[in-house]
Amino acid sequence: MSQPSTAPAAPAIPAGPRVPEAVHRRRWAVLGVLMLSLLIVVLDNSILNVAVRTIAAPAPTGIGATQSELEWAINSYTLVFAGLLFTSGLLGDRLGRKKVLLFGITVFGIGSALAAFSGSPGELIAFRAVMGLGAAFVMPATLAVLMNVFERDEQPKAIGIWAGGVGLAIAIGPITGGVLLEHFWWGSIFLVNVPVVLLALALMVWLVPDSRDPRPGRVDVPGVLLSVVGLVLLVYGIIRGGELADFTDVTVLAPVLGGLAVLVGFVLHERRSDHPAIDMSYFGKPAFSAAVAAIALVFFALMGVTFFSAFYLQSVRGYTALESGLLLLPLAVAQMAFAPRARLVVERFGARTVCAAGMLLVALGLAAFALFDTSTPVWALEVVFFLQGAGMAHIMPPVTVAIMQALPREKAGSGSAINNTFRQVGGALGVAVLGSVLSSVYRGEIEGHLGGVPAALRATAGESVEGTLAVAEKLGPAGRDLVAPAYRAFLDAMHVTACASAAIALVGAVVVAAFLPGRAPASPGAAPDAPGGPEGDTPRASVPAPGAGAGESARR
């Protein structure tokens, strides 16, 4: 019988060259800078959602934007952001992730300043596109830099903190927007980014190390162009379908089918190229493909429910933008509490069990919306938001780790781009498809109550609960009979959409349960985690010293 004390330690499989000691010492400070950059990019998109009413008001309160112009102020950002995510990740691997990160945050800051002082809806749409350009270079670079400053064993913990930051930004965006709009003009929601960008730039120059693929090979120009064209066409078609609430319209089908055709061409080109932008063989690994699918499916379901929950809280329940934002705090608290420690649960039960349970928890939270009405207690809402946050916290870190650790460290930018592209496309699909379901059911329910509405206002009254309530207010006493039917119609539509969202989350649970790996068997002779917490870096020492963490022994 072999003795554990004399058996050689199982060699660790490195994810690339060891992180230089000087970089390793400041890894947590670097993560803090990356979180700051990530925070303003994600937070800004959620801030705008609470400001649309103010921006739609005539000057000087707003700029008199129409509903279509407001939608494109949001969609221009999404279109540029999603279309360039993959390309920006490739450029980061080739040119240097720090350079790409500095470029992205600078462009984002310039776009924010310009958007704050937009004089017309057209200018706002253009400057939001500039912000999307900057954000497309920031988002993948943060995760790619993270993978290059942390050793493999600490990457799950760092990714957990990164994922918790995404949840925090989504939740505090509406709160920040509500506070700013109560005290300042509408442009403050963009101008607030500028000082944060300046601080982030200074800290990046000081702390963040540069890294790149040492052997990038030739640039796959056709592959890059195909990815941009395909993603832009696909996302545009999805957005257009959400606007029309009709995915059979030719203006929807043409870009969607065109985008899918171009992306099929991209895949075929990558498989045949001797210098592909992304090695498609990774998608042949069930664990990798399942993780990518899980990212897309969970954001499909979650972004769809986030879309209609805003209308439920503000239009039906009567909460202000700030109060609605505060109600989302349990989601952020759960993300911050559980995401950084999800790795410990994965070590105990395996990624398959943890992610499947997380998906089921998200599905349960989404299904709960099918029971909500105009008198549901606030505590019930808070419990549901907390459950959703807890579920997300046990999905995002493990699947992100699965994606990022499947690729060599030198290709971290590409891995991050894949992760973020599928998340963005999944989220856009969720808003468009589930938004269309919400609109279709609402229109069918409210149509029978619009007989007394003037013909000129009937189309507006039937668009959404916001449109019906606006028409009711315009009609005065004659419009009072529309309010109750509008609430009932919206709740019916929300219940159907919630069930559809829950079904999507259940599909995600089946996918991860079938294809993600289970609990990894313990390696003989493997050292336990070092008691020093963040200082425990087993791969940095060949054999841990008895009674000491590997990270400590490597430094003595």
Side-chain angles (χ1 to χ4, degrees), residues 77-324:
Y77 179 100
T78 303
L79 193 62
V80 175
F81 181 61
L84 291 176
L85 274 172
F86 185 71
T87 301
S88 68
L90 296 177
L91 290 175
D93 286 343
R94 173 171 292 274
L95 302 177
R97 288 130 195 162
K98 179 176 182 177
K99 295 182 183 71
V100 164
L101 188 57
L102 289 170
F103 170 78
I105 200 72
T106 301
V107 171
F108 185 83
I110 292 170
S112 298
L114 293 172
F117 296 100
S118 298
S120 67
E123 289 183 4
L124 178 61
I125 291 168
F127 297 143
R128 284 282 296 165
V130 174
M131 293 173 67
L133 170 64
F137 283 83
V138 172
M139 194 81 166
T142 59
L143 193 51
V145 170
L146 180 156
M147 297 299 290
N148 280 273
V149 298
F150 284 90
E151 295 287 10
R152 189 177 179 87
D153 65 325
E154 276 192 330
Q155 287 169 1
K157 180 176 183 178
I159 287 173
I161 297 171
W162 182 90
V166 173
L168 172 65
I170 291 172
I172 68 172
I175 300 172
T176 307
V179 170
L180 290 170
L181 291 173
E182 282 192 2
H183 296 91
F184 304 101
W185 99 112
W186 68 267
S188 62
I189 64 169
F190 300 117
L191 196 61
V192 71
N193 295 332
V194 176
V196 183
V197 163
L198 293 174
L199 175 62
L201 279 171
L203 292 174
M204 280 178 203
V205 172
W206 178 33
L207 290 170
V208 176
D210 203 0
S211 60
R212 71 180 75 186
D213 185 348
R215 293 178 298 277
R218 288 184 291 154
V219 179
D220 180 18
V221 176
V224 169
L225 293 177
L226 286 170
S227 72
V228 172
V229 173
L231 285 170
V232 168
L233 284 173
L234 177 62
V235 174
Y236 173 80
I238 292 168
I239 290 170
R240 181 67 179 158
E243 285 180 346
L244 299 177
D246 180 8
F247 280 82
T248 61
D249 189 275
V250 67
T251 61
V252 176
L253 286 176
V256 166
L257 295 178
L260 290 174
V262 172
L263 290 175
V264 168
F266 167 74
V267 171
L268 294 175
H269 169 77
E270 294 301 289
R271 293 180 66 178
R272 296 172 181 171
S273 174
D274 59 357
H275 57 288
I278 179 66
D279 187 348
M280 302 307 295
S281 66
Y282 289 112
F283 287 93
K285 301 176 181 178
F288 182 86
S289 294
V292 168
I295 285 280
L297 289 170
V298 75
F299 270 85
F300 183 104
L302 196 70
M303 293 306 290
V305 80
T306 301
F307 174 76
F308 69 67
S309 65
F311 288 102
Y312 170 69
L313 293 173
Q314 294 184 45
S315 300
V316 176
R317 299 301 297 268
Y319 294 112
T320 65
L322 179 57
E323 289 168 342
S324 299

Side-chain angles (χ1 to χ4, degrees), residues 156-157 337-358 390-391 393-395 397-398 517-520 529:
K157 180 176 183 178
F338 295 119
R341 304 190 66 79
R343 65 190 172 87
L344 302 177
V345 189
V346 171
E347 289 171 5
R348 178 77 180 272
F349 300 104
R352 178 192 302 157
T353 301
V354 173
C355 288
H394 289 90
I395 300 168
R519 183 183 177 188
D529 288 341

Side-chain angles (χ1 to χ4, degrees), residues 394-416:
H394 289 90
I395 300 168
M396 284 288 293
V399 295
T400 303
V401 169
I403 293 169
M404 296 304 296
Q405 290 195 342
L407 276 68
R409 180 177 281 162
E410 292 77 16
K411 302 293 184 183
S414 300
S416 180

